[in-house]
Amino acid sequence: MEALTVEELVVYDSVQRMTVEEAYALLLTLYTATDVPLETRNDNILALLLIICTQWRLAGPAGIGRMLRLKYFLETHFSSRVGCKYFYLFSTPEHYGCDLREMLYSRGGIPRAGALPLLALFSGVAESVTRPGPGSTVHPAPMWHILTDIDDTLYPNTEHGTYVAGSDVAWPQKQPYPGIVSFYRAFCSRGAADHGPLRYATVLSATPGVLKSSKIRSEVLARVLGPHYGFMQGSDRKRDIVMGVKQNVLTLFEMRKKRIQTASVGTRAPAPAPVEVNSLFQRYGETKFRRFLQYKSIFPEFRCIFIGDNGQGDVVTGLNMLARDPRCIVCIRSVCHNGKRYSSFRLPLVYEIPGEAMFTTAASADSIGAGTGAGAGAGAGAGAGAGAGAGKKKITVTRQMRRRLYPFRTYIDLAQIFLRLHIFEHEDVATVKAEALAAVNDPQNSSFKHLYSLDEDNYVKWLNIQRLHMYT
């Protein structure tokens, strides 16, 4: 079978009337044409998607709503539906992956052929749905979207005491934290129905690409986030994974050595702060940040909330997000390393991020930071790959950045933060508290009960103390 031309696939007059289901089915049919080379399939998909989205934009608000819903399906459903292959024993093809981000960006983080017009279109649509309409000064309600880490954020995971994935011991291993299921159910139930799908969440993880298939089929993740969620993996390159494993082993050796030394003198083992493992966790954080830039170029309409933890590289990711995107909110969970208390935050007032080349390959840093504007999509992605080896640039943590950074201990705390941000209602907080109360009062979990306070004043006092001593 020869590569299909756009003219053979689409009749322009019918595109504006096409439903989301019809468009999605057409894209599925095109992608599953197995006798067409993978590169040709991707090119055909992007060409067809550009025609559909362009015509839908001309159809007004209803067409834009269909476009946003189609992007949701391509992010959350498409990879599983086509049985995407992520594990290659030997050479991994450059045209690799099947969700929307992977179809638009190569493994090296460079936009594929045909991606730039789509990214420019998405940027223009975002401006139309996030700014006041003609003659109005009222901004539309934010289209909130959660980007979340997994280990020590959704559930604790020390990987059998090796601390490769996480280090939190505040709850039974690999069991969702108290209140978290109700938290995500409340978030996803309050969607922007006028602009496509209900709210959903996307995982932003350092998980190697070869493990992505197992993660998008994870029963635990589906239980917490709902049956359909996006997933952005860490490095796709086997060399990076091998080097990461090597550094993990060295890191674990140093962490274990320090724990043994402190235990021998009867003092509390210190939390493995980023300074102890900066080369490894810094890379994790910067990889996540590059994925975030790609994501914002595809979904610039979202106002993103990043939820991570202070056990590994999420603080690096979060600070970079705050520096580049003035609309972003960052919530960092404090982990408990010793079963007695949550770790304190120590963040620098001045820190280093990858060089400016990461942001200026094809657009200005300001336009990328805003997440909208002509060329923002192109620049975010193109720079994401180009800046990986660039020099460092020092960034000062401003007062405005601090106001968008929220430490929290439990999902009871986080529900209260969402209430203050006008994302949740009081009944949502009450539901999260009720689920958490039932979990911590279960006799099987009695050893963790002292770590979970349902008192809002208690959290406010803790938060004030953290912010007083947070920056060094």
Side-chain angles (χ1 to χ4, degrees):
M1 177 180 175
E2 298 180 356
L4 298 174
T5 64
V6 172
E7 290 75 15
E8 293 171 322
L9 291 170
V10 178
V11 177
Y12 279 87
D13 293 340
S14 65
V15 173
Q16 287 192 18
R17 298 190 299 271
M18 186 181 293
T19 67
V20 175
E21 291 73 18
E22 290 170 340
Y24 182 64
L26 184 57
L27 292 170
L28 279 174
T29 301
L30 183 59
Y31 197 90
T32 52
T34 54
D35 50 349
V36 175
L38 185 58
E39 181 177 357
T40 303
R41 264 186 273 174
N42 283 335
D43 291 343
N44 284 340
I45 286 281
L46 295 183
L48 177 56
L49 187 59
L50 178 62
I51 291 176
I52 292 173
C53 290
T54 300
Q55 294 300 307
W56 278 355
R57 185 183 186 185
L58 296 176
I64 290 176
R66 277 178 277 164
M67 183 194 309
L68 300 183
R69 187 176 292 271
L70 181 60
K71 289 202 295 181
Y72 158 77
F73 279 115
L74 291 176
E75 181 191 3
T76 61
H77 291 61
F78 202 76
S79 288
S80 298
R81 187 69 182 273
V82 301
C84 197
K85 181 179 180 181
Y86 287 97
F87 178 74
Y88 290 83
L89 187 59
F90 298 107
S91 177
T92 303
E94 187 65 21
H95 294 273
Y96 150 97
C98 315
D99 64 25
L100 182 57
R101 182 190 65 82
E102 292 161 338
M103 287 189 283
L104 288 166
Y105 286 97
S106 70
R107 290 172 58 218
I110 306 300
R112 301 185 192 275
L116 295 181
L118 268 170
L119 296 176
L121 176 65
F122 294 159
S123 179
V125 168
E127 291 194 24
S128 69
V129 300
T130 57
R131 292 185 176 181
S136 174
T137 59
V138 179
H139 285 266
M143 299 180 66
W144 294 105
H145 187 73
I146 289 177
L147 300 172
T148 179
D149 179 46
I150 301 177
D151 298 310
D152 290 358
T153 301
L154 300 181
Y155 51 75
N157 180 19
T158 65
E159 280 296 345
H160 309 289
T162 63
Y163 302 98
V164 172
S167 57
D168 191 50
V169 293
W171 197 245
Q173 294 296 297
K174 296 190 178 179
Q175 294 298 313
Y177 288 115
I180 192 172
V181 174
S182 293
F183 175 88
Y184 276 98
R185 187 180 298 122
F187 176 79
C188 294
S189 67
R190 297 186 178 277
D194 292 338
H195 299 300
L198 295 177
R199 290 174 182 158
Y200 65 102
T202 297
V203 172
L204 178 57
S205 173
T207 301
V210 294
L211 301 178
K212 180 169 179 174
S213 294
S214 64
K215 295 298 184 181
I216 62 179
R217 294 194 301 265
S218 168
E219 294 182 0
V220 179
L221 291 181
R223 176 185 166 193
V224 174
L225 303 176
H228 303 298
Y229 52 89
F231 192 98
M232 287 188 285
Q233 67 273 30
S235 177
D236 295 317
R237 301 185 183 278
K238 294 185 179 68
R239 181 175 60 183
D240 293 344
I241 297 169
V242 171
M243 293 302 295
V245 170
K246 178 181 178 181
Q247 275 200 279
N248 262 331
V249 172
L250 296 176
T251 296
L252 294 173
F253 177 79
E254 291 298 322
M255 289 170 61
R256 283 184 170 284
K257 182 178 178 181
K258 290 188 177 184
R259 289 173 184 273
I260 293 172
Q261 289 174 345
T262 54
S264 64
V265 296
T267 59
R268 181 173 66 88
V275 69
E276 299 178 18
V277 288
N278 54 25
S279 60
L280 178 62
F281 293 166
Q282 181 85 12
R283 187 167 68 247
Y284 286 170
E286 291 175 358
T287 297
K288 288 185 179 183
F289 179 52
R290 287 193 287 271
R291 295 289 192 231
F292 166 76
L293 290 179
Q294 295 172 2
Y295 194 83
K296 281 293 293 181
S297 72
I298 303 168
F299 296 93
E301 65 274 10
F302 286 154
R303 185 172 183 187
C304 290
I305 307 169
F306 174 59
I307 303 176
D309 63 84
N310 67 337
Q312 293 190 355
D314 291 342
V315 172
V316 174
T317 305
L319 289 176
N320 286 337
M321 288 177 174
L322 293 174
R324 307 313 305 187
D325 183 356
R327 300 172 66 233
C328 184
I329 302 291
V330 173
C331 302
I332 299 293
R333 182 179 175 276
S334 178
V335 301
C336 176
H337 301 280
N338 61 1
K340 298 178 180 179
R341 68 183 71 177
Y342 291 98
S343 61
S344 297
F345 281 72
R346 289 292 184 270
L347 302 180
L349 279 170
V350 179
Y351 68 102
E352 293 182 334
I353 66 172
E356 195 67 9
M358 172 179 285
F359 311 103
T360 57
T361 299
S364 72
D366 290 340
S367 67
I368 294 170
T372 57
K392 299 288 185 179
K393 177 182 179 181
K394 289 187 176 180
I395 293 292
T396 300
V397 180
T398 65
R399 183 181 298 273
Q400 199 271 347
M401 288 169 60
R402 297 185 209 181
R403 291 175 62 184
R404 293 181 285 120
L405 175 61
Y406 293 87
F408 72 100
R409 302 161 303 180
T410 72
Y411 276 83
I412 305 164
D413 299 342
L414 191 56
Q416 293 166 353
I417 293 171
F418 273 44
L419 179 65
R420 296 181 183 188
L421 293 172
H422 305 289
I423 303 172
F424 276 8
E425 302 292 343
H426 286 282
E427 56 265 32
D428 299 323
V429 178
T431 302
V432 174
K433 283 185 177 181
E435 181 196 318
L437 181 63
V440 299
N441 285 332
D442 187 324
Q444 294 182 345
N445 301 323
S446 59
S447 60
F448 304 99
K449 186 174 181 178
H450 65 284
L451 292 169
Y452 294 87
S453 170
L454 303 182
D455 183 4
E456 181 175 355
D457 291 337
N458 181 281
Y459 168 67
V460 173
K461 293 176 183 177
W462 179 85
L463 176 62
N464 290 336
I465 292 173
Q466 295 304 308
R467 286 187 162 166
L468 181 63
H469 301 290
M470 186 183 297
Y471 298 96
T472 58

